[in-house]
Amino acid sequence: MQLYSTNSKDLRVSFKEAVFNSLPADKGLYMPNSIPALDPEFINDLHSFSLAEIAFRVAKNILDGDIPDQDLKRIITDAINFDAPVVKLEEQVHVLELFHGPSLAFKDFGARFMSRVMSYYLQAGEKELNVLVATSGDTGGAVALGFLGVPDTKVTILYPKGKVSPIQELQLTTNGQNIHAIEIDGTFDDCQALVKQAFNDPELKEKFRLTSANSINISRLIPQTFYYFHAYAQLQRQSKTDVIFTVPSGNFGNIGAGFLAWKMGLPVKQFIAATNINDTVPAFLRSGVYQAKPSVQTYSNAMDVGDPSNWVRIMDIFKGDRADLKKLLTAYTFTDAETLEAIQKVYERHEYIMCPHTAIAWLASKQWLKDHPEERAELVFLSTAHPCKFPDIFPKQIAGKITVPAQVQDLEGRERLSVSLGKDFKDFKKFLLGER
């Protein structure tokens, strides 16, 4: 598998190099030189395969021999050892539950696969791997658990002060060992900017072997394609093959993986990007002007991104043609008030509890059906996190019905281990260099 930079197709690297370097020197993002289509017979027979079997076939297809079959099967069996069920909520509307992994968020797919791929490639005696990751909520917890205890690996997680939920913060700060958490007095965009500056700092690049665990790393996106195929397989078993996916979108990595799945042959009728008031992409689709903006804090904090990194990948897939992209992508934006109303409404109608990100995806699905009354396709909206991670969002009568998994209960009472920094890169660099 060869990859190029979105800023220069002449810059080519191997999958291993892209995994460890994360960002090209020209500050673009890595994309596969080719995205081969899967065998149509495999797509037609998805219903007969398990999630692990689908994951292996999809990964084998795109990696093109970079990891031998037996090693790839072992990595996937170890990493993807939990389910992602599609649950029918109402007529035409289904929820894809992606919160059944260790950190209770969809990021477990990417983080666990990536950590095992990195461990596979690490050779004895090589320089320690330093993983830098910015998180607006769930990425950090998934990365922390995915890399906890991995030999010769140090993980540094940056998160915005006061902008992650209490449980998310516990998942970031109570691990110890090779996991280090930094509370940044700023926004997620500030955290992301610090990580990108570190990758482009000559001294840090010389001293450390730096890589990222954010969705800017291509090894995060590849495993996120697995659950799109798996969701389609579940509907296929019900003879439903006309499918629309609604994706809660912040940094646009999740929906970017959906487009990779589509390029590999998954017959998706439409993608719907559901955002909160951080509406950089919906505004671009309306106006044709891409204008990054400071992120605004909302209840759906993992989507509080004003300059989504992965958008360049999506535009690259469509060769920069906005009109062509708009044939497959629609975007809707919703407020906190609408989010809370949706949570209440779905609970009253179905006794189903959604996290705020999931609620926005449900709203977008319902808006699509309202805008397209003749639509007959099945809408699958992605549930990206367990509701227990957002206890302060829900009214008491709903909060009391949430079952808190054992791994969350275990976090209570643990010592929090974190460092507080401002958003000045000099201070962050000093921390990485051990000078503070």
Side-chain angles (χ1 to χ4, degrees):
M1 179 187 187
Q2 289 285 303
L3 300 100
Y4 62 85
S5 168
T6 52
N7 283 343
S8 173
K9 291 202 172 184
D10 293 330
L11 195 162
R12 300 290 176 91
V13 300
S14 67
F15 177 60
K16 179 180 178 180
E17 185 175 343
V19 168
F20 282 132
N21 291 340
S22 292
L23 283 172
D26 64 5
K27 302 181 184 179
L29 291 181
Y30 285 121
M31 282 291 287
N33 187 42
S34 65
I35 305 173
L38 286 152
D39 185 340
E41 288 188 16
F42 172 66
I43 300 293
N44 291 336
D45 292 338
L46 278 172
H47 58 87
S48 63
F49 296 99
S50 67
L51 172 56
E53 290 169 334
I54 289 171
F56 170 71
R57 289 285 296 270
V58 172
K60 175 182 169 67
N61 178 68
I62 195 166
L63 294 182
D64 192 28
D66 276 325
I67 299 176
D69 286 0
Q70 286 305 115
D71 294 324
L72 185 57
K73 283 182 180 178
R74 177 180 51 79
I75 288 169
I76 287 172
T77 300
D78 187 36
I80 316 299
N81 58 0
F82 48 90
D83 197 13
V86 171
V87 177
K88 182 174 181 178
L89 194 65
E90 56 193 88
E91 195 62 31
Q92 281 189 269
V93 180
H94 313 256
V95 54
L96 172 58
E97 294 184 344
L98 299 174
F99 52 74
H100 294 284
S103 79
L104 309 176
F106 80 101
K107 308 288 180 75
D108 285 321
F109 282 86
R112 289 172 65 81
F113 180 84
M114 178 186 356
S115 66
R116 285 146 181 81
V117 167
M118 288 182 174
S119 180
Y120 169 79
Y121 279 132
L122 275 175
Q123 301 296 316
E126 287 188 315
K127 186 186 295 185
E128 180 184 65
L129 185 65
N130 276 257
V131 181
L132 306 182
V133 58
T135 184
S136 56
D138 287 323
T139 293
V143 169
L145 290 177
F147 282 86
L148 184 63
V150 173
D152 301 316
T153 303
K154 177 182 178 181
V155 178
T156 302
I157 302 170
L158 289 74
Y159 68 98
K161 179 179 180 180
K163 295 179 174 64
V164 301
S165 78
I167 289 175
Q168 287 173 324
E169 188 169 17
L170 284 171
Q171 289 182 321
L172 303 175
T173 61
T174 59
N175 296 284
Q177 297 186 51
N178 61 324
I179 310 298
H180 305 266
I182 303 180
E183 180 187 57
I184 299 296
D185 190 6
T187 67
F188 167 76
D189 293 322
D190 296 319
C191 298
Q192 188 163 251
L194 289 171
V195 169
K196 288 183 177 180
Q197 284 179 274
F199 285 130
N200 292 302
D201 184 271
E203 183 180 2
L204 293 178
K205 287 166 67 176
E206 174 66 26
K207 185 175 180 63
F208 300 119
R209 189 177 186 183
L210 295 176
T211 192
S212 172
N214 280 98
S215 55
I216 58 175
N217 192 307
I218 192 67
S219 66
R220 267 278 305 276
L221 287 194
I222 290 171
Q224 288 179 241
T225 65
F226 302 162
Y227 48 74
Y228 286 96
F229 287 95
H230 181 53
Y232 186 86
Q234 293 175 72
L235 289 175
Q236 201 179 56
R237 291 178 194 128
Q238 305 170 37
S239 300
K240 297 173 180 177
T241 56
D242 206 5
V243 180
I244 294 171
F245 284 104
T246 306
V247 189
S249 299
N251 212 21
F252 277 75
N254 199 355
I255 200 167
F259 281 114
L260 282 181
W262 169 74
K263 286 289 287 185
M264 283 189 276
L266 188 66
V268 181
K269 180 177 180 180
Q270 185 80 15
F271 285 101
I272 302 170
T275 78
N276 56 32
I277 59 172
N278 294 281
D279 65 344
T280 299
V281 168
F284 165 73
L285 292 176
R286 289 193 304 269
S287 69
V289 177
Y290 185 90
Q291 182 63 56
K293 59 188 76 173
S295 59
V296 178
Q297 186 174 3
T298 72
Y299 292 143
S300 48
N301 64 321
M303 294 154 60
D304 294 346
V305 183
D307 188 10
S309 294
N310 280 287
W311 186 245
V312 297
R313 281 192 168 121
I314 294 172
M315 291 303 294
D316 186 82
I317 288 173
F318 287 86
K319 297 180 172 56
D321 190 330
R322 171 174 158 268
D324 198 25
L325 169 62
K326 287 181 67 176
K327 295 174 185 176
L328 194 63
L329 177 65
T330 301
Y332 295 110
T333 297
F334 299 96
T335 66
D336 274 350
E338 290 171 312
T339 302
L340 295 179
E341 183 181 356
I343 289 171
Q344 184 73 40
K345 189 175 294 184
V346 169
Y347 178 73
E348 290 173 353
R349 291 180 183 177
H350 310 290
E351 294 189 353
Y352 190 89
I353 304 175
M354 307 182 298
C355 86
H357 313 79
T358 307
I360 288 176
W362 178 80
L363 282 166
S365 298
K366 298 296 285 185
Q367 187 63 50
W368 171 269
L369 289 174
K370 182 179 178 181
D371 293 343
H372 302 82
E374 302 303 314
E375 182 62 73
R376 294 295 176 263
E378 303 298 315
L379 276 80
V380 178
F381 67 97
L382 277 56
S383 180
T384 53
H386 195 289
C388 76
K389 302 181 85 169
F390 308 91
D392 298 334
I393 298 297
F394 302 100
K396 288 183 179 180
Q397 72 270 25
I398 296 179
K401 298 292 185 179
I402 298 173
T403 301
V404 179
Q407 63 261 50
V408 172
Q409 297 177 30
D410 185 52
L411 293 173
E412 300 295 339
R414 285 192 188 181
E415 181 184 3
R416 300 188 185 201
L417 305 168
S418 64
V419 173
S420 297
L421 293 178
K423 52 189 177 184
D424 190 326
F425 178 67
K426 291 180 181 178
D427 291 334
F428 178 48
K429 182 175 177 178
K430 286 180 179 179
F431 173 85
L432 292 177
L433 292 170
E435 297 175 1
R436 59 162 299 159

